[in-house]
Amino acid sequence: MGDPHPKLEAHALTRTFGRAAKAVHALGPVDLKIAPGEFTCVVGPSGCGKSTLLRIAAGILRPSGGKLTIRTRAQRPAAMIFQDYGIYDWKTVQANVRFGLDIQRVPREEADARATHWLSRMGLADFADAYPAALSGGMRQRVAIARALAVEPEILLMDEPFAALDAQLRTILQDELLALTQATRTTTLFITHSLEEAIVLGDRVLVMSARPGRVIAERRPPFTRPRTGEVRATGEFTALKSELWQLLRDEVGTEAAA
């Protein structure tokens, strides 16, 4: 049997920015449980607190109220991937991928071996000695993914990692990430504006309300694993995308009327 306890759990989680009359209630209350190995996608209107939730999970922000718990024995259980890649222009591709391992003081020989492994998995082996300026946007995001997975995180936190890419490249990277996460079964919390992305990748899709963001709906894409991007062509995919869009459209309308 699998672990019955959630890997990540939030209870009555809230976040407010500012003080007194100028305070902005950005998030919550949010209750959330993510099982070990589950890929959870979060969608919602702009400004609803999706990224705030992720940053609390990453330890970058503290909650104003409630609690978020990650059940782990590791000191650094999570790795985060941002929309803007977050890689260092002055480091080679190899050094960028090895960076998290260097922070953890993994011996250089092992760190190089793990970095080389993930560069190969991401199709970047020939660019190990290149600098990010020589790479396309898609290749830079592959570097960011390789760096995150090289530290073998228990939880992968992804904040709209493909939002800046063109539609064709975005689809390619969605499919690559789908294959990778199905192989590693890394617990993943994935923030996105794309309903297609959420349905293709997610075991579960959570819909958040307009600010302050709360979870107002949960849907499970009706596709078994392992799955491929071919699910986009099914009637079930189209129906679920339409249903999710209706939920989001109502929230966007509420936000605009506020």
Side-chain angles (χ1 to χ4, degrees):
M1 294 178 63
D3 188 342
H5 301 294
K7 177 63 71 175
L8 183 150
E9 183 173 7
H11 177 67
L13 192 71
T14 64
R15 174 68 197 202
T16 301
F17 293 96
R19 296 182 178 179
K22 294 184 178 180
V24 175
H25 185 187
L27 178 71
V30 168
D31 293 292
L32 172 65
K33 293 181 180 180
I34 300 178
E38 184 177 47
F39 197 120
T40 300
C41 293
V42 179
V43 298
S46 296
C48 74
K50 300 186 299 296
S51 293
T52 298
L53 172 63
L54 203 74
R55 280 162 170 74
I56 293 174
I60 298 172
L61 288 176
R62 291 185 177 181
S64 300
K67 186 177 182 180
L68 187 143
T69 302
I70 294 176
R71 290 179 171 86
T72 176
R73 295 179 181 177
Q75 287 187 321
R76 299 180 181 89
M80 190 163 179
I81 300 175
F82 298 93
Q83 178 178 333
D84 61 356
Y85 317 132
I87 59 178
Y88 301 109
D89 290 339
W90 60 90
K91 291 180 177 289
T92 65
V93 167
Q94 177 89 5
N96 266 289
V97 174
R98 200 184 61 228
F99 181 72
L101 299 170
D102 291 341
I103 292 295
Q104 294 180 2
R105 298 185 178 180
V106 173
R108 174 57 66 90
E109 185 175 351
E110 179 186 347
D112 276 332
R114 283 163 66 174
T116 297
H117 167 76
W118 282 105
L119 285 173
S120 179
R121 287 284 297 271
M122 298 304 297
L124 293 167
D126 292 341
F127 297 90
D129 296 326
Y131 287 87
L135 307 182
S136 67
M139 293 169 73
R140 291 184 186 190
Q141 197 57 287
R142 285 190 179 96
V143 172
I145 293 171
R147 181 178 63 185
L149 292 174
V151 300
E152 299 176 353
E154 293 188 37
I155 298 178
L156 191 58
L157 304 171
M158 307 187 77
D159 191 7
E160 300 193 60
F162 307 143
L165 306 177
D166 64 68
Q168 182 178 11
L169 183 54
R170 184 170 186 157
T171 298
I172 291 170
L173 286 183
Q174 285 170 10
D175 291 351
E176 290 180 356
L177 180 63
L178 179 63
L180 277 171
T181 53
Q182 286 178 154
T184 62
R185 297 305 296 165
T186 303
T187 306
T188 304
L189 180 59
F190 189 99
I191 305 300
T192 180
H193 273 97
S194 168
L195 298 180
E196 175 180 305
E197 200 160 74
I199 296 169
V200 169
L201 294 171
D203 292 305
R204 193 161 49 123
V205 181
L206 304 180
V207 180
M208 290 185 70
S209 69
R211 192 181 71 228
R214 296 164 289 106
V215 177
I216 59 170
E218 172 186 316
R219 298 292 185 271
R220 292 185 179 273
F223 310 114
T224 59
R225 291 191 184 274
R227 72 176 70 143
T228 70
E230 293 179 0
V231 299
R232 297 182 184 91
T234 66
E236 292 90 343
F237 179 93
T238 302
L240 181 53
K241 184 177 179 181
S242 177
E243 181 184 359
L244 291 173
W245 167 237
Q246 184 62 53
L247 288 166
L248 274 180
R249 185 168 61 181
D250 291 344
E251 288 304 312
V252 172
T254 298
E255 182 184 42

